């Protein structure tokens, strides 16, 4: 994993934590970035039939992966899913080239 990508993702999660996102805790930040970047980059291998996935589909996949990896009972996440979505967007922004409108 390129170090600049990790640094950007870690900085983004630090900013989210400062804004009040409970998922981007300093205790879990490294783990979230490791899991998130690995999941982001393995999307095409795990979903070979989806040739041109939408950004939203990749974010949903990333959120699902983060929740499954971090939460002891993923089905009970509830409203925290919004915080996972913010974390996923931050990791995706660090890992992916800018999207074209």
């Amino acid at each position: 994993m390129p170090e600049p990508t990790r640094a950007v993702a870690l900085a983004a999660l630090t900013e989210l934590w400062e804004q009040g996102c409970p998922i981007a805790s300093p205790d879990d930040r490294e783990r979230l970035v490791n899991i998130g970047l690995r999941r982001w980059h393995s999307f095409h291998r795990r979903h070979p039939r989806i040739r041109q996935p939408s950004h939203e589909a990749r974010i949903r996949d990333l959120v699902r992966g983060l929740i499954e990896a971090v939460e002891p009972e993923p089905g009970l996440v509830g409203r925290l899913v919004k915080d996972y979505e913010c974390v996923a967007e931050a990791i995706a922004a660090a890992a992916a080239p800018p999207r074209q409108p």
Side-chain angles (χ1 to χ4, degrees), residues 8-23:
V8 170
L10 286 168
L13 294 190
T14 300
E15 188 174 322
L16 283 175
W17 175 255
E18 291 169 357
Q19 294 172 4
C21 176
I23 304 302

Side-chain angles (χ1 to χ4, degrees), residues 13-93:
L13 294 190
T14 300
E15 188 174 322
L16 283 175
W17 175 255
E18 291 169 357
Q19 294 172 4
C21 176
I23 304 302
S25 162
D27 298 336
D28 293 330
R29 206 170 287 151
E30 289 276 342
R31 182 173 175 224
L32 286 169
V33 168
N34 290 339
I35 292 165
L37 290 175
R38 188 173 59 239
R39 179 99 179 181
W40 182 264
H41 292 298
S42 68
F43 182 89
H44 292 291
R45 181 179 48 78
R46 290 179 295 102
H47 303 282
R49 293 186 179 173
I50 303 174
R51 295 198 186 269
Q52 299 246 327
S54 68
H55 181 75
E56 291 73 23
R58 292 194 70 182
I59 293 295
R60 282 191 305 272
D61 179 71
L62 183 50
V63 168
R64 181 176 169 208
L66 291 171
I67 290 172
E68 288 174 356
V70 173
E71 293 294 329
E73 295 192 43
L76 301 178
V77 170
R79 287 191 262 168
L80 276 179
V81 75
K82 292 295 183 193
D83 293 307
Y84 277 103
E85 288 170 359
C86 290
V87 169
E89 286 284 354
I91 292 171

Side-chain angles (χ1 to χ4, degrees), residues 93 96-101:
R99 290 186 292 164
Q100 299 297 324

